[in-house]
Amino acid sequence: IGTVRRFSRYEGASELPVNFVCVLLQADRKETRRHTYNGERPLLMAMIVSIGSGKGGVGKSVIAANLSMLLAKQGKRVVLADLDVGGADAHILFGMLNPPRTLTDFVERRVERLDDVLQQVSAHPFLQLIPGTGDTLATANLPYAKKKRLIRHFRQLQADIIVVDIGAGTSYHALDFFLMADHYLTVATPDPTSVLDLYRFIKLAAIRRVLSAFLSRDAVTETLSDRDFCSIDEVIQAVSETDPNAKETASRTLQGFHPYLIVNRVSGKSRVNVLQLKKLLQEYVGGDLMMLGEIPDDPAMTRAVRSYLPVVEFEPTAPASLALEKAAQTLLTLLAHPETTQAESAPSPEQAA
């Protein structure tokens, strides 16, 4: 659908291969198991849920803040990390107008540990926040080395669930941070442009994920060098020149790529054709999409934002609050009883070697 931005293997002259970040993330999946949800499925340390969107203005940060609050209310130790690099605002939603420390302090090494940036959210004792970076050129254009350090430190946070609010759009930062998660959540509105941008976002994330399956192989890496790709088929065709099993590897990589979807600001006449969207993703991307919930267009959301509180705390019985609570329960069930975590089914460096 439309024209998607083509991938280059390099973000710029100062960057290492951007897709190597995806390979790097898989190495971090080898963390030890720590405890379980209700004595059932063991948790990674910690379970990361990334929240992304194809365009801004769809209410992604508001959704992230409310889901984080609801998960904390279920007794989970939750960290909400604002990784909207250069355009962070999650702290505002909790009334932290001037947090004493932000992600910028960690990025610029004014503090050594990501834990040192954590801010306690007064609304709930089990919820902490990592305020995002300010709108500066230094942080908006995060160098590879600093991005690598940031990604590694996430696994060291002491929490049950880390909710990562990703910057909107298909920038390299957004896709890299989105793919570091164990579970992927996307947000869109019924607006046709929002749905189109969501499709592009998921498609580019899938291409990124597939590329990571091949980039640690010397022969294949040479084939992919300085090549641009706008579809998974193009990647498979390029890799097939040196790897006859390329299609099988790509299919296996995509088996665990099942983003969830929350549709925000739904009204009686404005709904997303989820079945059509799923069909497009299965046909052109090879991935699946699961509806997590529909949040009604509710004026209580606006009142809550103006009061610096999540709507689930400000007006718990509002229609949007009830829909968000249902979505949070579904997400918690998926975290506790997935058939396999998305990260576990993704290729590790050992598998790709």
Side-chain angles (χ1 to χ4, degrees):
I1 298 180
T3 302
V4 298
R5 176 170 53 80
R6 299 176 69 88
F7 270 118
S8 170
R9 190 167 169 250
Y10 294 91
E11 281 190 49
S14 63
E15 290 276 354
L16 292 178
V18 294
N19 294 294
F20 179 75
V21 175
C22 300
V23 179
L24 167 69
L25 299 179
Q26 307 310 324
D28 293 334
R29 308 303 186 190
K30 304 301 182 181
E31 299 289 342
T32 55
R33 300 289 181 171
R34 184 160 52 90
H35 57 88
T36 64
Y37 278 119
N38 301 322
E40 296 175 2
R41 186 189 180 279
L43 268 177
L44 288 169
M45 188 191 310
M47 188 73 75
I48 299 179
V49 179
S50 59
I51 304 183
S53 63
K55 64 177 293 185
V58 299
K60 170 181 55 63
S61 294
V62 173
I63 297 294
N66 279 276
L67 288 180
S68 298
M69 174 64 76
L70 288 166
L71 292 172
K73 285 177 175 288
Q74 291 296 317
K76 309 305 174 189
R77 295 180 301 160
V78 180
V79 170
L80 171 59
D82 192 345
L83 287 191
D84 188 347
V85 178
D89 58 6
H91 56 285
I92 302 294
L93 301 175
F94 290 97
M96 297 183 189
L97 303 185
N98 294 292
R101 286 179 176 172
T102 71
L103 193 60
T104 303
D105 294 295
F106 176 79
V107 170
E108 299 300 325
R109 288 190 175 272
R110 291 193 285 268
V111 298
E112 287 301 316
R113 300 188 312 155
L114 200 53
D115 303 64
D116 296 330
V117 181
L118 287 172
Q119 305 294 315
Q120 181 62 50
V121 174
S122 61
H124 200 283
F126 286 178
L127 178 58
Q128 292 178 297
L129 173 69
I130 297 179
T133 63
D135 192 9
T136 66
L137 288 176
T139 53
N141 298 284
L142 198 64
Y144 168 80
K146 292 183 178 180
K147 185 192 300 184
K148 174 183 174 181
R149 175 172 171 258
L150 175 59
I151 288 171
R152 288 196 179 281
H153 273 254
F154 263 97
R155 289 290 169 181
Q156 300 173 17
L157 291 174
Q158 296 299 306
D160 296 318
I161 302 170
I162 302 172
V163 177
V164 184
D165 182 8
I166 307 298
T170 56
S171 71
Y172 292 117
H173 289 325
L175 293 175
D176 285 340
F177 291 141
F178 184 72
L179 289 172
M180 79 175 178
D182 303 292
H183 294 263
Y184 314 122
L185 173 58
T186 59
V187 179
T189 67
D191 182 79
T193 60
S194 174
V195 176
L196 176 59
D197 288 332
L198 175 68
Y199 169 78
R200 289 169 173 164
F201 176 81
I202 295 176
K203 180 177 180 178
L204 292 176
I207 294 173
R208 191 84 149 195
R209 184 179 171 103
V210 169
L211 279 170
S212 73
F214 300 112
L215 282 172
S216 63
R217 306 179 185 186
D218 292 337
V220 174
T221 299
E222 184 177 352
T223 300
L224 297 180
S225 294
D226 299 323
R227 293 283 295 271
D228 295 336
F229 301 99
C230 64
S231 72
I232 291 172
D233 285 340
E234 285 188 13
V235 178
I236 294 174
Q237 184 177 358
V239 176
S240 295
E241 299 172 7
T242 55
D243 184 355
N245 298 317
K247 187 172 184 179
E248 179 183 347
T249 301
S251 298
R252 185 170 62 250
T253 302
L254 289 172
Q255 284 178 357
F257 188 62
H258 304 299
Y260 312 138
L261 171 63
I262 285 182
V263 182
N264 194 24
R265 300 176 192 148
V266 175
S267 62
K269 296 182 180 180
S270 60
R271 293 181 178 273
V272 173
N273 190 334
V274 178
L275 291 178
Q276 180 65 19
L277 183 57
K278 290 180 67 171
K279 181 179 178 181
L280 286 171
L281 289 171
Q282 289 171 345
E283 183 175 353
Y284 294 105
V285 179
D288 201 358
L289 186 71
M290 175 181 177
M291 174 64 77
L292 198 66
E294 292 183 320
I295 313 303
D297 192 4
D298 187 349
M301 294 279 266
T302 302
R303 293 195 294 268
V305 170
R306 291 174 178 172
S307 300
Y308 303 110
L309 280 173
V311 68
V312 297
E313 187 75 7
F314 183 69
E315 293 188 36
T317 59
S321 298
L322 298 177
L324 283 162
E325 185 173 359
K326 184 177 179 180
Q329 289 291 343
T330 302
L331 177 60
L332 194 60
T333 300
L334 290 168
L335 296 180
H337 303 285
E339 294 179 2
T340 178
T341 66
Q342 314 225 27
E344 285 170 339
S345 57
S348 67
E350 293 83 4
Q351 293 171 322

